[in-house]
Amino acid sequence: SPTGSDSGSVLMVKMLKRILLLEDIEANADLIKFSLQAISGFDVAHASNARQAVEMFRTGTYDLCLFDHLMPKITGLDAMREIRATPKGEQVPIVFLTARSDTANWKQLMASGAQAVIAKPFDIMLLGAQLLDVFHACQICEINGGIDADSGPSWADTPTRSALSRRSAGAYGKF
C-alpha cells in the first residue's frame, strides 16, 4: 500500500462502489443502470428528478454522482449546485451526461464544478471505466488538498468524445 513520504502514514484508497444517477428519461436510466450495474458491477441509486436526487444525496452515501444535464423544471446543474452547498457535497465527484456537447455548454458545466462531461450517445461498455477514471483522478486531487473542476481525467479537458473510446476493450478487464 502507498505510504506518505514524510510521516510514513498509510493513504487510504477508496473504491468506487455507489453511484447516484439523475436521469429523467426512464429508458435512458435503464440503459445507464445496465451499463453500470451489470457490466461494471456498481451499485446505482436512481433519481428521476433533481429534487429527488438532492434529497437522496442528503440522506445517502455516494462515491460519485452521474447527472443528466437538461431536464424539465430543475436541471442537473441546479441539482449539482444544491449538492455542492451541503457539507459532504464538495467531496463527491459529479459527472454530467449530456446530448449538448457544444463548447459553451461543456464550459458552463466544468466552470460550475463538474469533474467531467460525457457526451450522449456514450459507449455503454466504457461508461464504467470513464467514471473510474474520474473517480481516481479526484482521489489523487483529494490527497493533494481537495477536488475541484480541474480534478477530472485528461480526456475531460475537451468537449469531444472521450479518448477512452479509442482504448481496446481488453484494456479494462473486469471492473
Side-chain angles (χ1 to χ4, degrees), residues 83-99:
I83 285 172
R84 290 286 190 232
T86 68
K88 62 183 179 180
E90 285 297 320
Q91 297 307 311
V92 176
I94 298 178
V95 177
F96 278 92
L97 285 172
T98 183

Side-chain angles (χ1 to χ4, degrees), residues 22 47-55 71-72 74-76 78-79 82:
L22 171 56
S48 58
N49 64 63
R51 284 278 160 240
Q52 183 183 20
V54 171
E55 184 57 33
M71 293 180 294
I74 303 171
T75 68
D78 296 327
E82 285 190 48

Side-chain angles (χ1 to χ4, degrees), residues 57-74:
F57 185 86
R58 285 187 175 132
T59 60
T61 301
Y62 302 95
D63 301 311
L64 183 139
C65 296
L66 179 62
F67 287 179
D68 183 21
H69 177 206
L70 299 175
M71 293 180 294
K73 297 182 183 175
I74 303 171

Side-chain angles (χ1 to χ4, degrees), residues 11-17 61-64 88 90-93 132 135-136 138-140 142-143 147:
L11 299 175
M12 298 303 294
V13 177
K14 293 187 277 183
M15 298 288 294
L16 175 56
K17 295 177 186 172
T61 301
Y62 302 95
D63 301 311
L64 183 139
K88 62 183 179 180
E90 285 297 320
Q91 297 307 311
V92 176
L132 278 172
F135 185 75
H136 290 151
C138 290
Q139 276 193 309
I140 291 167
E142 188 176 324
I143 289 167
I147 67 170

Side-chain angles (χ1 to χ4, degrees), residues 31-42 44 174-175:
L31 181 65
I32 294 165
K33 287 188 293 186
F34 172 78
S35 172
L36 297 176
Q37 291 173 327
I39 296 172
S40 300
F42 298 122
V44 178
K174 180 94 171 132
F175 304 130

